[in-house]
Coordinates of all heavy atoms in Angstrom, one line a residue:
K1 N -116.0 -51.4 21.4 CA -116.9 -52.5 21.1 C -118.1 -52.4 22.0 O -119.2 -52.7 21.6 CB -116.1 -53.8 21.3 CG -115.2 -54.2 20.2 CD -114.7 -55.6 20.4 CE -114.1 -56.1 19.2 NZ -113.6 -57.5 19.4
T2 N -117.9 -52.1 23.3 CA -119.0 -52.1 24.3 C -120.0 -51.0 24.0 O -121.2 -51.2 24.1 CB -118.5 -52.0 25.7 OG1 -117.5 -53.1 26.0 CG2 -119.6 -52.0 26.7
L3 N -119.5 -49.8 23.6 CA -120.3 -48.7 23.5 C -120.6 -48.3 22.0 O -121.5 -47.5 21.7 CB -119.7 -47.4 24.1 CG -119.5 -47.6 25.6 CD1 -118.5 -46.5 26.1 CD2 -120.8 -47.6 26.4
G4 N -119.9 -48.9 21.1 CA -120.1 -48.6 19.7 C -119.6 -47.2 19.3 O -120.1 -46.6 18.4
I5 N -118.5 -46.8 20.0 CA -118.0 -45.4 19.7 C -116.7 -45.5 18.9 O -115.9 -46.4 19.1 CB -117.7 -44.6 21.0 CG1 -116.8 -45.4 21.9 CG2 -119.0 -44.2 21.7 CD1 -116.4 -44.6 23.1
P6 N -116.6 -44.6 17.9 CA -115.3 -44.6 17.1 C -114.2 -44.0 18.0 O -114.4 -43.3 19.0 CB -115.7 -43.7 15.9 CG -116.9 -42.9 16.3 CD -117.6 -43.6 17.5
L7 N -113.0 -44.2 17.4 CA -111.8 -43.8 18.2 C -110.9 -42.7 17.5 O -110.8 -42.7 16.3 CB -110.9 -45.0 18.4 CG -111.5 -46.2 19.2 CD1 -110.6 -47.3 19.2 CD2 -112.0 -45.7 20.6
I8 N -110.3 -41.9 18.3 CA -109.2 -41.0 17.9 C -107.9 -41.8 18.3 O -107.8 -42.2 19.5 CB -109.3 -39.7 18.7 CG1 -110.5 -38.9 18.4 CG2 -108.0 -38.8 18.3 CD1 -110.8 -37.7 19.2
F9 N -107.0 -41.9 17.4 CA -105.8 -42.6 17.6 C -104.7 -41.6 17.8 O -104.4 -40.9 16.9 CB -105.5 -43.6 16.4 CG -104.4 -44.5 16.7 CD1 -104.7 -45.9 17.0 CD2 -103.0 -44.2 16.5 CE1 -103.7 -46.8 17.2 CE2 -102.0 -45.1 16.7 CZ -102.3 -46.4 17.0
D10 N -104.1 -41.6 19.0 CA -103.0 -40.6 19.3 C -101.8 -41.4 19.6 O -101.6 -42.0 20.7 CB -103.4 -39.7 20.5 CG -102.4 -38.6 20.7 OD1 -101.2 -38.9 20.6 OD2 -102.8 -37.5 21.0
P11 N -100.9 -41.5 18.6 CA -99.6 -42.3 18.8 C -98.8 -41.9 20.0 O -98.3 -42.7 20.8 CB -98.9 -42.2 17.5 CG -99.9 -41.8 16.5 CD -100.9 -41.0 17.3
A12 N -98.6 -40.6 20.2 CA -97.8 -40.1 21.3 C -98.4 -40.5 22.6 O -97.6 -40.9 23.5 CB -97.7 -38.6 21.2
N13 N -99.7 -40.5 22.8 CA -100.3 -40.9 24.1 C -100.1 -42.3 24.3 O -99.8 -42.8 25.5 CB -101.8 -40.5 24.1 CG -102.0 -39.0 24.2 OD1 -101.1 -38.2 24.4 ND2 -103.2 -38.6 24.1
F14 N -100.2 -43.2 23.3 CA -99.9 -44.6 23.5 C -98.4 -44.8 23.9 O -98.1 -45.6 24.7 CB -100.2 -45.4 22.2 CG -101.6 -45.8 22.1 CD1 -102.3 -45.8 20.8 CD2 -102.4 -46.2 23.1 CE1 -103.6 -46.1 20.7 CE2 -103.7 -46.6 23.0 CZ -104.3 -46.6 21.8
V15 N -97.5 -44.1 23.2 CA -96.1 -44.2 23.6 C -95.9 -43.9 25.0 O -95.2 -44.6 25.8 CB -95.2 -43.4 22.6 CG1 -93.8 -43.3 23.2 CG2 -95.2 -43.9 21.2
Q16 N -96.5 -42.8 25.5 CA -96.4 -42.4 26.8 C -97.0 -43.3 27.8 O -96.6 -43.3 29.0 CB -96.9 -41.0 27.0 CG -96.1 -39.9 26.4 CD -96.7 -38.5 26.4 OE1 -97.9 -38.3 26.6 NE2 -95.9 -37.5 26.4
C17 N -97.9 -44.2 27.4 CA -98.5 -45.2 28.2 C -97.7 -46.6 28.1 O -98.1 -47.6 28.7 CB -99.9 -45.5 27.9 SG -101.0 -44.1 28.3
G18 N -96.6 -46.6 27.3 CA -95.8 -47.8 27.2 C -96.4 -48.8 26.2 O -96.0 -50.0 26.2
A19 N -97.4 -48.4 25.4 CA -98.0 -49.3 24.4 C -97.2 -49.2 23.0 O -96.8 -48.1 22.7 CB -99.4 -48.9 24.2
E20 N -97.2 -50.3 22.4 CA -96.6 -50.3 21.0 C -97.7 -49.8 20.0 O -98.8 -50.5 19.9 CB -96.2 -51.8 20.7 CG -95.7 -51.9 19.3 CD -95.4 -53.4 18.9 OE1 -96.4 -54.1 18.6 OE2 -94.3 -53.8 18.9
T21 N -97.4 -48.7 19.4 CA -98.4 -48.1 18.5 C -98.6 -48.9 17.2 O -99.7 -49.0 16.7 CB -98.0 -46.7 18.1 OG1 -96.8 -46.8 17.4 CG2 -97.9 -45.8 19.3
Y22 N -97.5 -49.4 16.7 CA -97.6 -50.2 15.4 C -96.6 -51.3 15.5 O -95.4 -51.1 15.9 CB -97.3 -49.3 14.2 CG -97.4 -50.0 12.9 CD1 -98.6 -50.1 12.3 CD2 -96.3 -50.5 12.3 CE1 -98.7 -50.8 11.1 CE2 -96.4 -51.2 11.1 CZ -97.6 -51.4 10.5 OH -97.7 -52.0 9.3
P23 N -97.0 -52.5 15.1 CA -98.3 -52.9 14.6 C -99.4 -53.2 15.6 O -100.5 -53.2 15.2 CB -97.9 -54.1 13.8 CG -96.8 -54.8 14.5 CD -96.0 -53.6 15.1
Y24 N -99.0 -53.3 16.9 CA -100.0 -53.8 17.8 C -101.2 -53.0 18.0 O -102.3 -53.4 17.7 CB -99.3 -54.1 19.2 CG -100.3 -54.6 20.2 CD1 -100.8 -55.9 20.1 CD2 -100.8 -53.7 21.2 CE1 -101.7 -56.3 21.1 CE2 -101.7 -54.2 22.2 CZ -102.2 -55.5 22.1 OH -103.1 -55.9 22.9
A25 N -101.1 -51.8 18.5 CA -102.3 -50.9 18.8 C -103.1 -50.6 17.5 O -104.3 -50.7 17.5 CB -101.9 -49.6 19.5
Y26 N -102.3 -50.3 16.4 CA -103.0 -50.0 15.2 C -103.9 -51.2 14.7 O -105.1 -51.1 14.4 CB -102.0 -49.6 14.1 CG -102.8 -49.5 12.8 CD1 -103.5 -48.4 12.5 CD2 -102.7 -50.5 11.8 CE1 -104.3 -48.3 11.3 CE2 -103.4 -50.5 10.7 CZ -104.2 -49.4 10.4 OH -104.9 -49.3 9.2
N27 N -103.3 -52.4 14.7 CA -104.0 -53.6 14.2 C -105.2 -53.9 15.1 O -106.2 -54.4 14.6 CB -103.0 -54.8 14.0 CG -102.2 -54.6 12.8 OD1 -102.6 -54.1 11.8 ND2 -101.0 -55.1 12.9
L28 N -105.0 -53.7 16.4 CA -106.1 -54.0 17.3 C -107.3 -53.1 17.1 O -108.4 -53.5 17.2 CB -105.6 -53.9 18.8 CG -106.5 -54.3 19.9 CD1 -106.7 -55.9 19.8 CD2 -105.9 -53.9 21.2
L29 N -107.0 -51.8 16.8 CA -108.0 -50.8 16.8 C -108.4 -50.3 15.4 O -109.4 -49.5 15.3 CB -107.5 -49.6 17.6 CG -107.2 -49.9 19.0 CD1 -106.5 -48.7 19.7 CD2 -108.4 -50.3 19.8
K30 N -107.8 -50.7 14.3 CA -107.9 -50.1 13.0 C -109.4 -50.0 12.5 O -109.7 -49.1 11.8 CB -107.1 -50.9 12.0 CG -107.4 -52.3 11.7 CD -106.4 -52.9 10.8 CE -106.6 -54.4 10.7 NZ -105.6 -55.1 9.9
E31 N -110.2 -51.0 12.9 CA -111.6 -50.9 12.5 C -112.4 -49.8 13.1 O -113.5 -49.5 12.6 CB -112.3 -52.3 12.8 CG -111.7 -53.4 12.1 CD -112.3 -54.8 12.6 OE1 -113.4 -54.8 13.1 OE2 -111.6 -55.8 12.4
H32 N -111.9 -49.2 14.2 CA -112.6 -48.2 14.9 C -112.0 -46.8 14.8 O -112.6 -45.9 15.3 CB -112.6 -48.6 16.4 CG -113.2 -50.0 16.6 ND1 -114.5 -50.3 16.6 CD2 -112.5 -51.2 16.8 CE1 -114.7 -51.6 16.8 NE2 -113.5 -52.2 16.9
I33 N -110.9 -46.7 14.1 CA -110.2 -45.4 14.0 C -110.9 -44.5 12.9 O -111.0 -44.9 11.8 CB -108.7 -45.5 13.6 CG1 -108.0 -46.4 14.7 CG2 -108.0 -44.2 13.4 CD1 -106.6 -46.8 14.3
V34 N -111.3 -43.3 13.3 CA -111.9 -42.3 12.4 C -111.2 -41.0 12.4 O -111.5 -40.1 11.7 CB -113.4 -42.1 12.7 CG1 -114.2 -43.4 12.5 CG2 -113.7 -41.5 14.1
Y35 N -110.2 -40.9 13.3 CA -109.5 -39.6 13.5 C -108.1 -40.0 14.1 O -108.0 -40.9 14.9 CB -110.3 -38.9 14.5 CG -110.1 -37.4 14.7 CD1 -111.1 -36.5 14.5 CD2 -108.9 -36.9 15.2 CE1 -110.9 -35.1 14.7 CE2 -108.7 -35.6 15.4 CZ -109.7 -34.7 15.2 OH -109.5 -33.4 15.4
M36 N -107.1 -39.2 13.6 CA -105.8 -39.5 14.1 C -105.1 -38.2 14.5 O -105.1 -37.2 13.8 CB -104.9 -40.2 13.1 CG -103.5 -40.5 13.6 SD -102.7 -41.6 12.4 CE -101.0 -41.5 13.1
H37 N -104.6 -38.1 15.7 CA -103.8 -37.0 16.2 C -102.4 -37.2 15.7 O -101.8 -38.3 15.9 CB -103.9 -36.8 17.7 CG -105.1 -36.3 18.2 ND1 -105.4 -36.2 19.6 CD2 -106.2 -35.7 17.6 CE1 -106.6 -35.6 19.7 NE2 -107.1 -35.3 18.5
I38 N -101.9 -36.1 15.1 CA -100.5 -36.2 14.6 C -99.6 -35.5 15.7 O -99.5 -34.3 15.8 CB -100.4 -35.5 13.3 CG1 -101.3 -36.1 12.3 CG2 -98.9 -35.5 12.8 CD1 -101.1 -37.6 12.0
K39 N -99.0 -36.4 16.4 CA -98.1 -36.0 17.5 C -97.2 -37.3 17.8 O -97.7 -38.4 17.9 CB -98.9 -35.7 18.8 CG -98.2 -35.2 19.9 CD -99.1 -34.7 21.0 CE -99.7 -35.9 21.7 NZ -100.8 -35.6 22.6
D40 N -95.9 -37.1 17.9 CA -95.0 -38.2 18.1 C -94.3 -38.0 19.5 O -94.4 -37.0 20.2 CB -93.9 -38.2 17.0 CG -93.5 -39.6 16.7 OD1 -93.6 -40.5 17.5 OD2 -92.9 -39.8 15.6
C41 N -93.7 -39.1 19.9 CA -93.1 -39.1 21.3 C -91.9 -40.1 21.4 O -91.9 -41.1 20.7 CB -94.2 -39.6 22.2 SG -93.8 -39.6 24.0
L42 N -91.0 -39.7 22.2 CA -89.8 -40.6 22.5 C -90.2 -41.6 23.6 O -90.6 -41.1 24.7 CB -88.6 -39.8 22.8 CG -88.1 -38.9 21.7 CD1 -86.9 -38.0 22.3 CD2 -87.6 -39.7 20.6
A43 N -90.0 -42.9 23.4 CA -90.4 -43.8 24.4 C -89.5 -43.7 25.7 O -90.0 -43.9 26.8 CB -90.3 -45.3 23.9
D44 N -88.3 -43.4 25.5 CA -87.4 -43.5 26.7 C -87.6 -42.3 27.6 O -87.3 -42.4 28.8 CB -85.9 -43.6 26.3 CG -85.4 -42.5 25.4 OD1 -86.3 -41.7 24.8 OD2 -84.2 -42.3 25.2
T45 N -88.1 -41.2 27.1 CA -88.2 -40.0 27.9 C -89.7 -39.5 28.1 O -90.0 -38.7 29.0 CB -87.4 -38.8 27.4 OG1 -88.0 -38.4 26.1 CG2 -86.0 -39.1 27.3
G46 N -90.6 -39.9 27.2 CA -91.9 -39.5 27.2 C -92.1 -38.1 26.6 O -93.2 -37.5 26.6
K47 N -91.0 -37.6 26.0 CA -91.0 -36.2 25.4 C -91.7 -36.2 24.0 O -91.4 -37.0 23.2 CB -89.6 -35.7 25.3 CG -89.5 -34.3 24.9 CD -88.0 -33.8 24.9 CE -88.0 -32.3 24.5 NZ -86.7 -31.8 24.6
V48 N -92.6 -35.2 23.8 CA -93.2 -35.0 22.5 C -92.2 -34.4 21.6 O -91.5 -33.5 21.9 CB -94.5 -34.1 22.7 CG1 -95.1 -33.8 21.3 CG2 -95.5 -34.8 23.6

């Protein structure tokens, strides 16, 4: 919002930061997502 830059959404990185990817992060950011990294992660271990 501040810079007007589009976002790459990386679900695994959000998981590793302790963020809920869906629905929370997705719904918050959906208007700005132009690219998605396909990578998954286990919340309990941080393992890809």
Side-chain angles (χ1 to χ4, degrees):
K1 284 186 165 184
T2 303
L3 299 167
I5 55 173
L7 302 175
I8 300 170
F9 192 98
D10 188 321
N13 289 351
F14 276 140
V15 171
Q16 290 176 333
C17 291
E20 178 187 75
T21 61
Y22 182 83
Y24 179 71
Y26 172 77
N27 284 329
L28 189 67
L29 302 172
K30 63 186 174 185
E31 296 172 23
H32 306 281
I33 300 168
V34 298
Y35 194 120
M36 183 172 168
H37 282 174
I38 302 298
K39 184 174 73 187
D40 213 339
C41 183
L42 297 172
D44 60 345
T45 64
K47 185 174 183 176
V48 174

